[in-house]
Amino acid sequence: MADRLTAAVFASGGGSNLQALLDHQSLDPPWRVGLVVSDREDAGALERAAQAGVATVWVPTRERGPDDVARDTLAALRGAGVDVIFLAGYMKLVPEAVVRAYRGKILNIHPALLPSFGGKGMYGMHVHRAVVASGARITGPTVHLVDEEYDRGPIVAQWPVPVLPGDTPEDVARRVLEAEHRLYPRAADHVCRAIAGGEEPGPLPWPDTRFSMNEHERNTGDQRSGSEDE
Ligand code: GRF
């Protein structure tokens, strides 16, 4: 497709969301991953990228100022002709110069329904522990545009996921991650279509925001929720 965008995926960890994005490429989405950026030399995401034949770059951030990190990051992005950025478990704040250069074109996925359970320090299992401790009955991933602060930009897509009685944070983490893998590629398609068409991306009109346990089960294959419907 003529207007396919080149995406960079930023990841610090295992990269299961990166893998979901790479797998989605078989459906010929309006973007292609052209570069994977990590702040960690040993990130599993770099290994996944290498196996998929995608270029990788390690941009260390420890004991380096934001200007240095921004310069190296922007050089890598420009060198690969990157149009859009998908953050997928990237644990660092994106330098302001990069946010400025790609404003409206950086997506992040967060494992809770923002604006709840977000912000500095709310990452990984911290999020799911806080969700379970709060007694919330619904959680789920949020895809949002990135600005200069953690977890704050406009929301593009959310997927409600049930928190069931007796769930541990690990149960919730597993269920939310499954939903992430389905939501992120679709949200990426939606945003890239808007960008390619010169429009502001609005909210993704999918999945159906009407919450239902059966709907959740159909979408994720999660059998545990079946008897709890409505
Ligand atoms: C995901 O839960 C994502 O929401 C968060 O970091 C985690 C990354 O997981 N931002 P993975 O590395 O994609 O498996």
Side-chain angles (χ1 to χ4, degrees):
M1 125 179 217
D3 51 1
R4 188 188 284 140
L5 303 180
T6 298
V9 176
F10 285 29
S12 305
S16 71
N17 277 289
L18 166 65
Q19 192 64 55
L21 291 162
L22 291 171
D23 293 348
H24 185 73
Q25 291 186 162
S26 63
L27 300 178
D28 199 22
W31 49 267
R32 191 131 208 111
V33 179
L35 181 68
V36 172
V37 178
S38 186
D39 57 310
R40 298 196 47 153
E41 197 176 14
D42 59 351
L46 292 180
E47 179 63 33
R48 290 183 194 264
Q51 281 188 9
V54 174
T56 62
V57 60
W58 170 43
V59 182
T61 58
R62 258 189 212 153
E63 291 166 31
R64 299 183 76 208
D67 291 350
D68 286 354
V69 175
R71 189 196 55 238
D72 290 0
T73 306
L74 285 171
L77 296 174
R78 287 179 180 142
V82 167
D83 304 300
V84 289
I85 298 172
F86 306 148
L87 307 184
Y90 186 65
M91 304 301 285
K92 304 289 169 181
L93 200 57
V94 177
E96 275 185 35
V98 177
V99 175
R100 270 200 305 277
Y102 284 88
R103 193 172 295 285
K105 296 177 180 168
I106 309 178
L107 285 179
N108 181 44
I109 188 156
H110 181 77
L113 296 174
L114 293 175
S116 297
F117 305 109
K120 196 162 168 53
M122 273 292 175
Y123 60 88
M125 289 307 293
H126 296 290
V127 175
H128 304 299
R129 277 189 215 110
V131 165
V132 170
S134 75
R137 299 289 308 277
I138 301 172
T139 183
T142 299
V143 177
H144 66 96
L145 291 165
V146 169
D147 62 17
E148 284 83 353
E149 284 184 47
Y150 282 111
D151 302 330
R152 198 194 57 176
I155 291 171
V156 173
Q158 293 185 312
W159 185 318
V161 169
V163 182
L164 302 178
D167 266 351
T168 63
E170 288 73 20
D171 293 329
V172 174
R174 175 187 51 76
R175 201 173 297 128
V176 170
L177 193 62
E178 285 173 10
E180 290 185 35
H181 296 161
R182 287 164 175 79
L183 184 64
Y184 208 7
R186 289 165 173 83
D189 289 1
H190 173 73
V191 168
C192 287
R193 274 193 206 102
I195 291 171
E199 293 160 17
E200 292 275 309
L204 178 71
W206 183 96
D208 191 341
T209 49
R210 182 177 46 83
F211 179 69
S212 139
M213 295 284 194
N214 278 344
E215 183 73 13
H216 167 78
E217 183 181 320
R218 263 199 305 283
N219 286 326
T220 65
D222 182 348
Q223 296 303 314
R224 246 196 95 187
S225 62
S227 59
E228 303 272 336
D229 197 35
E230 269 115 32

